[in-house]
Amino acid sequence: MQYKILGKDLKVSAIGMGCMGISHAYGKPLTKKEGIYLIHKALDYGYNFFDTAEVYGPYINEEIVGEALKNHHGKVVIATKFGVKLEDGSTGMPIVNAKSDIIRKSIEGSLKRLQVDCIDLYYQHRIDPKIAPEEVASLMADLIKEGKISHWGISQVDEIYLRRANAICPVTAIQNRYSMMARDYEKLFPVLEELNIGFVAFSPMANGFLSGKYDKNTKFTTDDYRSKMPQFKAENIDKNKDLINLLASIAEEKKATLAQISMAWMINKKPYIVPIPGTRKAERLQENAKTSEIKLSKQEVKYIDEVLAKINMSEIFLGTKHD
């Protein structure tokens, strides 16, 4: 496993582990024992960056991550999130709330569930339009002074909010959807470079689509988010075949898998991009970890970008409840 620096000084594995799927969004959750086993396998493969949120479960995901990593403090980076509740507790539409008293309550709950004294990276999960970014950032500065968090970030953020928040308390990383099928946030690259902010990419394989392992016969249960995502609908499988063919041709040349190439493309594009794929299988964890060893030249990345720009792929779902 290779490693990268987010922001000024947060050292993380070049591939992180998105832990959401252990207990949230992808059908029947794993048991606590199964989730802990999976996280321990990630440690074996060199991962040190683990991403969760209080809303995943809710709460259960943080408990599993906390139990799995309780003997590894100081050697791992744990990221969690605040500011989103689900209206019925586990599904339904998200409700955003960034009031200071709510965040204060959230941080205490997360610290307890994660079994830590200080959270390494604390994200605002979604923007609350009713609360100014300066107010949220000021509270983050207080939490840093109090030793309850060491770094903070923002998920699904735009340039204006990011600049205003960063001016009050430096942001270490943003976490936005990014993959070969969702490239809109590349417009933030100049801002991230100017402010020295990392980009943590969730859904780097478009929720698994870019692995090439799904076809028109694939069926998902209704409690699996992918059942509602356009890229997995039968009519869109053929529309996106050019993208899969591109990945397959490069994968063959590099002796890699399609999934590895989809992430190697982004980690070789910019030194501050860190994908956090999720999985429930130990063999996929190992496969994803080996992505950090795949080298793509600037010319190869540019070629991929140029081909992607010409592919008329179906858009993936960009709503707020699917991560």
Side-chain angles (χ1 to χ4, degrees), residues 292-308:
S292 72
E293 302 171 8
I294 298 172
K295 303 302 180 185
L296 297 176
S297 67
K298 291 182 179 179
Q299 290 75 20
E300 288 172 320
V301 170
K302 182 180 179 182
Y303 165 75
I304 294 172
D305 286 342
E306 290 172 347
V307 176
L308 289 175

Side-chain angles (χ1 to χ4, degrees), residues 129-141:
K130 302 182 297 296
I131 306 296
E134 291 83 0
E135 183 175 335
V136 177
S138 180
L139 178 54
M140 294 301 109

Side-chain angles (χ1 to χ4, degrees), residues 53-237:
E54 66 172 353
V55 76
Y56 299 160
Y59 309 127
I60 298 169
N61 203 267
E62 285 188 326
E63 292 173 358
I64 293 173
V65 171
E67 183 66 22
L69 298 177
K70 65 181 181 181
N71 295 323
H72 300 274
H73 297 168
K75 300 177 182 178
V76 297
V77 173
I78 300 175
T80 193
K81 309 176 192 75
F82 66 89
V84 171
K85 306 290 184 185
L86 294 178
E87 58 186 6
D88 66 356
S90 59
T91 61
M93 294 301 293
I95 301 170
V96 296
N97 191 330
K99 292 181 179 179
S100 294
D101 60 330
I102 297 296
I103 298 174
R104 286 279 183 186
K105 182 178 180 180
S106 290
I107 186 69
E108 295 304 327
S110 291
L111 287 168
K112 182 177 180 180
R113 289 185 291 272
L114 291 170
Q115 302 185 46
V116 296
D117 296 321
C118 178
I119 291 169
D120 301 298
L121 180 55
Y122 200 41
Y123 291 107
Q124 182 176 6
H125 203 159
R126 288 293 180 270
I127 303 305
D128 184 345
K130 302 182 297 296
I131 306 296
E134 291 83 0
E135 183 175 335
V136 177
S138 180
L139 178 54
M140 294 301 109
D142 289 342
L143 293 178
I144 290 172
K145 290 176 183 177
E146 295 165 19
K148 293 183 177 181
I149 68 174
S150 60
H151 304 78
W152 84 291
I154 312 171
S155 183
Q156 293 293 73
V157 68
D158 60 26
E159 179 179 352
I160 294 174
Y161 192 98
L162 180 59
R163 285 189 180 278
R164 288 175 60 183
N166 186 76
I168 302 300
C169 182
V171 174
T172 292
I174 66 169
Q175 185 182 129
N176 287 11
R177 183 186 294 274
Y178 185 54
S179 73
M180 287 182 168
M181 297 187 80
R183 299 176 60 195
D184 186 57
Y185 288 114
E186 288 183 354
K187 63 190 177 187
L188 290 179
F189 287 172
V191 182
L192 301 179
E193 290 162 14
E194 174 192 341
L195 302 178
N196 190 24
I197 295 173
F199 189 145
V200 176
F202 73 78
S203 300
M205 287 182 277
N207 301 91
F209 181 83
L210 297 178
S211 69
K213 299 183 181 298
Y214 301 94
D215 59 29
K216 288 184 283 188
N217 297 315
T218 301
K219 302 295 182 183
F220 299 104
T221 58
T222 56
D223 56 353
D224 188 319
Y225 280 177
R226 291 170 295 183
S227 66
K228 302 177 180 66
M229 292 183 172
Q231 70 268 37
F232 293 105
K233 294 187 179 300
E235 62 270 24
N236 288 331
I237 297 294

Side-chain angles (χ1 to χ4, degrees), residues 244-288:
I244 297 300
N245 289 340
L246 169 66
L247 281 168
S249 65
I250 300 171
E252 182 178 6
E253 177 186 345
K254 296 291 182 179
K255 294 180 172 56
T257 66
L258 278 67
Q260 288 172 332
I261 296 301
S262 72
M263 291 188 290
W265 161 77
M266 65 175 69
I267 65 175
N268 284 276
K269 181 193 288 281
K270 297 292 183 181
Y272 50 81
I273 297 178
V274 176
I276 50 167
T279 185
R280 293 181 171 186
K281 298 179 180 179
E283 60 268 29
R284 295 285 172 258
L285 278 174
Q286 186 176 30
E287 176 186 333
N288 294 342

